[in-house]
Amino acid sequence: MKEIINLPVHSIEEEEYHINMGPQHPSTHGVLRLVVTLQGEIVKKVQPHCGYIHRGIEKMCEKDTFQQIIHLTDRMDYLSAHINNHAVCLLVEGALGIEVPERVKYIRTIIDELARIQSHQLWWSSFGMDLGGLTCFFYGLRDREHILDIFEESFGSRLLHSYYTPGGLMRDIHPNFQKRTKEFLKYFRKKIRDYDKILSGNIIFTERSKGIGTMSKEKAINYGVTGPSGRGSGWACDVRKKFPYALYDKVEFREVLRDEGDTYARYMVRMDEMRESMKIIEQLIDNIPEGDFTAKMKPIIKLPAGEYYQRVETARGELGIYCISDGNKTPLRMKFRTPSFVNLGVLDIISRDMKIADLVAIGASLDLVIPDIDR
Amino acid sequence: MAFNIYDFTSFNQSIDQALYEWLPPFWALIVEMTIIGLVFLLAYAIVGLFLVYAERKVCAFMQNRVGPNRVGPYGIFQTIADFIKLLMKELVYIKNSDKLLFNIAPFIVIIASFMAIAAIPFAKGLHAIDFDIGIMYVVAVSSLGVVGVLLAGWSSNNKYSLIGAMRSGAQIISYELSVGLSLLTIIVLAGTMQFSQVVEMQSTGWFIFKGHIPAVIAFLIFLIASTAETNRGPFDLAEAESELTAGFHTEYSGIKFAFFFLAEYMNMFIVASIAATVFWGGWMPFHVSGWEGFNHVMDFIPPLVWYFGKTAFIIWLMMLFKWTFPRLRIDQLLNLEWKYLLPINLVNILFMAFIVLMGWHF
Amino acid sequence: MNSFYTYFAEIFRGLKSLLIGMSVTGRYFFSPGQIVTQQYPENRKKLKMFDRFKGDLIMPHDQNNQHRCTGCGICETNCPNGSIEVISDRIELPDGKKKRIIDKHIYHLSMCTFCGLCVKTCPSNALAWDQTFEHAVFDRSKLTKILNKPGSSIIKDIE
């Protein structure tokens, strides 16, 4: 806390000027507005302004039943839509004490990891693009298409699936699901080498990312930076390890940690996480047990009165859902602790005294999804 | 010599003589200048539009896409359609901008690149003007474009534009050194600055083979520095799409934007043709001394094919750079120039001078 | 001497990494067989969507122009954003009982979020997803659809 209190308050000085990055700017990935105080090329201060895509999801949740809330959580962090849905499902199942069938757990874990891979693929694409390597964008999207096809075949949509329901799944997976997933893993193991060749090893890239936006472990903990961004600073904050849900306590995977805390570390954590996710899927894909795809649920779900909290690890970090129920079929209050919003807080402090080009790189390395910030 | 079968000198002279017999000398000169101007203007537009198309196709293939394929077969008329669209677009008036400079800037940029094209020999006898200091003229004129870029950034009344223009200024001033010095390496070898003589001297072997190691180093440095000088990726800091939206031409629209756009591609063409002319023999066919039959066959390939083939290859290399690498940061860009390219270049000239003195070149 | 060595080692390492990157893009440039782009309007005939694709909500009718919807309104209550309106009617059967039938099953495509709750919760499986995806129209009102066809009736054994 000491560090936060001692944060130097920056007031505009002579020879400094403001520049508005966003809400329409190619590298803010949406409608984030950053008011950047610059001295020449050097960033002196970054003030994020949120709210351009605020839809009031938390308020809308208060009039929806728990089955209906699912489709709203899709629209927060649309790149890890499945994982957001998972959080709501786990919250309801935990509150009602429902044990979901083993098959559901397997499928949910596999799909969560697929969602994580496709989110990281898109992040890799846009990261390359933010640094000026436009070709990365197309390679990433080309490979992401394979996962989206798997999703579309089983769930009927490519981005906003609403596939999980409290107690299980909307419908069973498609018969082709396992075959296609295995094909994808084989394909992507080859293609991820291209990723390393074109970006990870490139001298321009390493020069642009090493030592840029260094965030110490203390800073990461103080600001609550979770997910790959926090793990790049050496903070072991993976919810999948700390508070295992679904099958994460049964599968073997490594929590990727790096100590440097710079943009390059955050980049490498995500690259390694894609490989770890593939490992998890490989362990599970052949062993999906037969059984129901949903537990027995009443058509109207009423949570017992009380307070509930559920956390999951999305592709960006820890998503926490805090819910107060008064025993009705709709929650009294829902609060989402979204990872992008919290991670955005550190942007100012780690990009000070960097160049404006570094600000873009740092912003991309935090992997912000703007609807996740504004909700 | 055999390669004179495609000589344009006598053709040009006959036109020149006919005009002077037909018209008084003053008017003959005017007519000649007009013809040359029109020919170059047409060539300029065609090459520029074709390069835009080529770039889009090349980058599409590198990215597993097909690129433009709707307008005409394989989309070859796409850029023409784009150009017509840009012609018809509104020229947006910017509040509080310096109107005079804002309007002049795109013309300065395009005139600079238009002037540079004059000295380039496309084939024997096929150049507008054959200076005895041709290389120096091209280097001097092509660096004028930065004035237009700076004016555009300054007059736009936009901070993004200003940052882009300032970056461009720092970049071009420093990389101009490397371009000049790497060309100087070849001038040391050739002993002349006249383009026609530089090409003529390569009839027995291109300079990149004649000058071997120092020439190859000079070529690599020229390639890097000239990519930077034309504001292309990975050195496109002045535009820096992901940082400065569009850099110095953020506020331009319509045909003024098209001028910047065309000038960028024409600068690339000019730089590639200088590299082709100085290092790879220009329109000179590929000759191996001693292989008379082989040389004779090579002579039958028209010089324009040789010239455009070499230029196209170097342009392709520059496109490969752009579509592979991430962008450098401004301080890294200057580091690369002042810490790496410039010292290597200076040592390289010394090396080349030594080789020329000792007669170790081929 | 050491710094001299590192200076050149750095240059060559950098050049090598750049060449590796260029080899990737260069390889793709010379292998146009790997192009993944689909030519959309041309491949319209061949294009087949996945059979679970959520394109448009429909109410399947059989050859006798009969559907399975009882007009219970569960889809309407389950829809999170009110894109379904069921207008039902009561008719008197010949044996004197009253029966509820649908008059209009109105579906607003423009408001639909494709969450699939209506299809999932329908007790008589009257709703289904269609695989059409070309929804562009010139008028917003065309996106409001009446799912039951005119003159249709309910299949006998559905309660």
CSV table of all heavy atoms in Angstrom, one decimal, chain A residues 205-238:
chain,number,residue,atom,x,y,z
A,205,PHE,N,11.4,-7.1,-32.2
A,205,PHE,CA,10.3,-7.3,-31.2
A,205,PHE,C,10.9,-7.4,-29.8
A,205,PHE,O,10.4,-6.7,-28.9
A,205,PHE,CB,9.6,-8.6,-31.5
A,205,PHE,CG,8.7,-9.0,-30.4
A,205,PHE,CD1,7.5,-8.3,-30.2
A,205,PHE,CD2,9.0,-10.1,-29.6
A,205,PHE,CE1,6.7,-8.7,-29.1
A,205,PHE,CE2,8.2,-10.4,-28.5
A,205,PHE,CZ,7.0,-9.7,-28.3
A,206,THR,N,12.1,-8.1,-29.7
A,206,THR,CA,12.6,-8.2,-28.3
A,206,THR,C,13.1,-6.8,-27.9
A,206,THR,O,13.0,-6.5,-26.7
A,206,THR,CB,13.8,-9.2,-28.3
A,206,THR,OG1,14.6,-9.0,-29.5
A,206,THR,CG2,13.3,-10.6,-28.4
A,207,GLU,N,13.7,-6.0,-28.8
A,207,GLU,CA,14.1,-4.7,-28.4
A,207,GLU,C,12.9,-3.9,-28.0
A,207,GLU,O,13.0,-3.1,-27.0
A,207,GLU,CB,14.8,-4.0,-29.6
A,207,GLU,CG,16.2,-4.6,-29.9
A,207,GLU,CD,17.2,-4.2,-28.8
A,207,GLU,OE1,17.2,-3.1,-28.4
A,207,GLU,OE2,17.9,-5.1,-28.3
A,208,ARG,N,11.8,-4.0,-28.7
A,208,ARG,CA,10.6,-3.2,-28.3
A,208,ARG,C,10.0,-3.7,-27.0
A,208,ARG,O,9.3,-2.9,-26.4
A,208,ARG,CB,9.6,-3.4,-29.5
A,208,ARG,CG,9.8,-2.5,-30.7
A,208,ARG,CD,9.6,-1.1,-30.4
A,208,ARG,NE,8.3,-0.7,-29.9
A,208,ARG,CZ,7.2,-0.5,-30.7
A,208,ARG,NH1,7.3,-0.6,-32.0
A,208,ARG,NH2,6.0,-0.2,-30.1
A,209,SER,N,10.2,-4.9,-26.6
A,209,SER,CA,9.4,-5.4,-25.5
A,209,SER,C,10.2,-5.6,-24.2
A,209,SER,O,9.7,-5.5,-23.1
A,209,SER,CB,8.7,-6.7,-25.9
A,209,SER,OG,9.6,-7.6,-26.3
A,210,LYS,N,11.5,-5.9,-24.3
A,210,LYS,CA,12.3,-6.2,-23.1
A,210,LYS,C,12.5,-4.9,-22.3
A,210,LYS,O,13.0,-3.9,-22.9
A,210,LYS,CB,13.6,-6.9,-23.5
A,210,LYS,CG,13.4,-8.4,-23.6
A,210,LYS,CD,14.7,-9.1,-23.9
A,210,LYS,CE,14.5,-10.6,-24.0
A,210,LYS,NZ,15.6,-11.3,-24.6
A,211,GLY,N,12.3,-5.0,-21.1
A,211,GLY,CA,12.5,-3.9,-20.2
A,211,GLY,C,11.5,-2.8,-20.3
A,211,GLY,O,11.7,-1.7,-19.8
A,212,ILE,N,10.4,-3.0,-21.0
A,212,ILE,CA,9.4,-2.0,-21.2
A,212,ILE,C,8.2,-2.3,-20.3
A,212,ILE,O,7.7,-3.4,-20.2
A,212,ILE,CB,8.9,-2.0,-22.7
A,212,ILE,CG1,10.0,-1.8,-23.7
A,212,ILE,CG2,7.8,-1.0,-22.9
A,212,ILE,CD1,10.8,-0.5,-23.4
A,213,GLY,N,7.8,-1.2,-19.6
A,213,GLY,CA,6.6,-1.4,-18.7
A,213,GLY,C,6.9,-2.4,-17.6
A,213,GLY,O,6.0,-3.2,-17.4
A,214,THR,N,8.0,-2.3,-16.9
A,214,THR,CA,8.3,-3.2,-15.9
A,214,THR,C,7.4,-3.1,-14.7
A,214,THR,O,7.2,-2.0,-14.2
A,214,THR,CB,9.8,-3.1,-15.5
A,214,THR,OG1,10.6,-3.0,-16.6
A,214,THR,CG2,10.2,-4.3,-14.6
A,215,MET,N,6.8,-4.2,-14.3
A,215,MET,CA,5.9,-4.1,-13.1
A,215,MET,C,6.5,-5.1,-12.1
A,215,MET,O,6.6,-6.3,-12.4
A,215,MET,CB,4.5,-4.5,-13.6
A,215,MET,CG,3.5,-4.7,-12.5
A,215,MET,SD,1.8,-4.8,-13.1
A,215,MET,CE,1.9,-6.1,-14.4
A,216,SER,N,6.8,-4.7,-10.9
A,216,SER,CA,7.4,-5.5,-9.9
A,216,SER,C,6.2,-6.4,-9.4
A,216,SER,O,5.1,-6.1,-9.5
A,216,SER,CB,8.0,-4.7,-8.8
A,216,SER,OG,7.0,-3.9,-8.2
A,217,LYS,N,6.7,-7.5,-8.6
A,217,LYS,CA,5.7,-8.4,-8.0
A,217,LYS,C,4.8,-7.6,-7.0
A,217,LYS,O,3.6,-7.8,-7.0
A,217,LYS,CB,6.4,-9.5,-7.3
A,217,LYS,CG,5.5,-10.6,-6.9
A,217,LYS,CD,6.4,-11.8,-6.3
A,217,LYS,CE,5.5,-12.8,-5.7
A,217,LYS,NZ,6.3,-13.9,-5.1
A,218,GLU,N,5.5,-6.7,-6.3
A,218,GLU,CA,4.7,-5.9,-5.3
A,218,GLU,C,3.6,-5.1,-6.0
A,218,GLU,O,2.5,-5.0,-5.5
A,218,GLU,CB,5.7,-5.0,-4.5
A,218,GLU,CG,6.6,-5.7,-3.5
A,218,GLU,CD,7.6,-6.5,-4.2
A,218,GLU,OE1,8.2,-6.0,-5.2
A,218,GLU,OE2,8.0,-7.6,-3.7
A,219,LYS,N,4.0,-4.5,-7.1
A,219,LYS,CA,3.1,-3.6,-7.8
A,219,LYS,C,1.9,-4.4,-8.3
A,219,LYS,O,0.8,-4.0,-8.2
A,219,LYS,CB,3.8,-2.9,-9.0
A,219,LYS,CG,3.6,-1.4,-9.0
A,219,LYS,CD,4.4,-0.9,-10.1
A,219,LYS,CE,5.5,0.0,-9.6
A,219,LYS,NZ,6.3,0.6,-10.7
A,220,ALA,N,2.2,-5.6,-8.8
A,220,ALA,CA,1.2,-6.5,-9.3
A,220,ALA,C,0.2,-6.8,-8.2
A,220,ALA,O,-1.0,-6.8,-8.4
A,220,ALA,CB,1.8,-7.7,-10.0
A,221,ILE,N,0.7,-7.1,-7.1
A,221,ILE,CA,-0.2,-7.5,-6.0
A,221,ILE,C,-0.9,-6.3,-5.5
A,221,ILE,O,-2.1,-6.4,-5.2
A,221,ILE,CB,0.6,-8.2,-4.8
A,221,ILE,CG1,1.2,-9.5,-5.3
A,221,ILE,CG2,-0.2,-8.4,-3.6
A,221,ILE,CD1,2.2,-10.1,-4.3
A,222,ASN,N,-0.2,-5.2,-5.3
A,222,ASN,CA,-0.9,-4.0,-4.9
A,222,ASN,C,-2.0,-3.5,-5.8
A,222,ASN,O,-3.1,-3.1,-5.3
A,222,ASN,CB,0.1,-2.8,-4.8
A,222,ASN,CG,1.0,-2.9,-3.6
A,222,ASN,OD1,0.7,-3.7,-2.6
A,222,ASN,ND2,2.0,-2.1,-3.5
A,223,TYR,N,-1.8,-3.6,-7.1
A,223,TYR,CA,-2.9,-3.2,-8.0
A,223,TYR,C,-3.8,-4.3,-8.3
A,223,TYR,O,-4.7,-4.1,-9.1
A,223,TYR,CB,-2.2,-2.6,-9.2
A,223,TYR,CG,-1.7,-1.2,-9.0
A,223,TYR,CD1,-0.5,-1.0,-8.5
A,223,TYR,CD2,-2.5,-0.1,-9.4
A,223,TYR,CE1,0.0,0.3,-8.2
A,223,TYR,CE2,-2.0,1.2,-9.2
A,223,TYR,CZ,-0.8,1.4,-8.6
A,223,TYR,OH,-0.3,2.6,-8.4
A,224,GLY,N,-3.6,-5.5,-7.8
A,224,GLY,CA,-4.5,-6.6,-8.1
A,224,GLY,C,-4.4,-7.1,-9.6
A,224,GLY,O,-5.5,-7.5,-10.1
A,225,VAL,N,-3.3,-7.0,-10.2
A,225,VAL,CA,-3.1,-7.4,-11.6
A,225,VAL,C,-3.1,-8.9,-11.7
A,225,VAL,O,-2.1,-9.5,-11.2
A,225,VAL,CB,-1.9,-6.8,-12.3
A,225,VAL,CG1,-1.8,-7.2,-13.7
A,225,VAL,CG2,-2.0,-5.3,-12.2
A,226,THR,N,-4.1,-9.5,-12.1
A,226,THR,CA,-4.2,-11.0,-12.2
A,226,THR,C,-4.0,-11.5,-13.6
A,226,THR,O,-3.8,-10.7,-14.5
A,226,THR,CB,-5.5,-11.5,-11.6
A,226,THR,OG1,-6.5,-10.8,-12.3
A,226,THR,CG2,-5.6,-11.3,-10.1
A,227,GLY,N,-4.0,-12.8,-13.7
A,227,GLY,CA,-4.0,-13.4,-15.1
A,227,GLY,C,-2.5,-13.4,-15.6
A,227,GLY,O,-1.6,-13.2,-14.8
A,228,PRO,N,-2.4,-13.6,-16.9
A,228,PRO,CA,-1.0,-13.7,-17.4
A,228,PRO,C,-0.2,-12.4,-17.1
A,228,PRO,O,1.0,-12.5,-17.0
A,228,PRO,CB,-1.3,-13.8,-18.9
A,228,PRO,CG,-2.6,-14.4,-19.0
A,228,PRO,CD,-3.4,-13.9,-17.9
A,229,SER,N,-0.9,-11.2,-17.1
A,229,SER,CA,-0.1,-10.0,-16.8
A,229,SER,C,0.5,-10.1,-15.4
A,229,SER,O,1.6,-9.7,-15.2
A,229,SER,CB,-1.1,-8.8,-16.9
A,229,SER,OG,-1.9,-8.9,-18.0
A,230,GLY,N,-0.3,-10.6,-14.4
A,230,GLY,CA,0.3,-10.7,-13.1
A,230,GLY,C,1.3,-11.8,-13.0
A,230,GLY,O,2.4,-11.6,-12.3
A,231,ARG,N,1.1,-12.9,-13.7
A,231,ARG,CA,2.0,-14.0,-13.6
A,231,ARG,C,3.3,-13.6,-14.3
A,231,ARG,O,4.4,-14.2,-14.0
A,231,ARG,CB,1.4,-15.2,-14.3
A,231,ARG,CG,0.3,-15.8,-13.4
A,231,ARG,CD,0.0,-17.2,-13.8
A,231,ARG,NE,-0.8,-17.3,-15.0
A,231,ARG,CZ,-2.1,-17.1,-15.1
A,231,ARG,NH1,-2.8,-16.8,-14.0
A,231,ARG,NH2,-2.8,-17.2,-16.2
A,232,GLY,N,3.3,-12.7,-15.3
A,232,GLY,CA,4.5,-12.2,-15.9
A,232,GLY,C,5.4,-11.5,-14.9
A,232,GLY,O,6.6,-11.3,-15.1
A,233,SER,N,4.8,-11.0,-13.7
A,233,SER,CA,5.6,-10.4,-12.7
A,233,SER,C,6.0,-11.4,-11.6
A,233,SER,O,6.5,-11.0,-10.6
A,233,SER,CB,4.8,-9.2,-12.1
A,233,SER,OG,4.5,-8.3,-13.1
A,234,GLY,N,5.7,-12.6,-11.8
A,234,GLY,CA,6.1,-13.6,-10.8
A,234,GLY,C,5.1,-13.9,-9.7
A,234,GLY,O,5.4,-14.5,-8.7
A,235,TRP,N,3.9,-13.3,-9.9
A,235,TRP,CA,2.9,-13.5,-8.8
A,235,TRP,C,2.0,-14.7,-9.2
A,235,TRP,O,1.3,-14.7,-10.2
A,235,TRP,CB,2.0,-12.3,-8.7
A,235,TRP,CG,0.9,-12.4,-7.7
A,235,TRP,CD1,0.9,-13.2,-6.6
A,235,TRP,CD2,-0.4,-11.7,-7.7
A,235,TRP,NE1,-0.3,-13.0,-5.9
A,235,TRP,CE2,-1.1,-12.1,-6.5
A,235,TRP,CE3,-1.0,-10.8,-8.5
A,235,TRP,CZ2,-2.3,-11.6,-6.2
A,235,TRP,CZ3,-2.2,-10.3,-8.2
A,235,TRP,CH2,-2.9,-10.7,-7.0
A,236,ALA,N,2.1,-15.8,-8.4
A,236,ALA,CA,1.4,-17.0,-8.7
A,236,ALA,C,-0.1,-16.8,-8.3
A,236,ALA,O,-0.5,-16.9,-7.1
A,236,ALA,CB,1.9,-18.2,-7.9
A,237,CYS,N,-0.9,-16.4,-9.3
A,237,CYS,CA,-2.3,-15.9,-9.0
A,237,CYS,C,-3.3,-16.7,-9.8
A,237,CYS,O,-4.4,-16.3,-10.0
A,237,CYS,CB,-2.4,-14.4,-9.2
A,237,CYS,SG,-2.0,-14.0,-10.9
A,238,ASP,N,-2.9,-17.9,-10.3
A,238,ASP,CA,-3.8,-18.7,-11.1
A,238,ASP,C,-4.9,-19.3,-10.3
A,238,ASP,O,-4.7,-20.1,-9.4
A,238,ASP,CB,-3.0,-19.7,-11.9
A,238,ASP,CG,-3.8,-20.2,-13.1
A,238,ASP,OD1,-5.0,-20.2,-13.0
A,238,ASP,OD2,-3.1,-20.7,-14.0
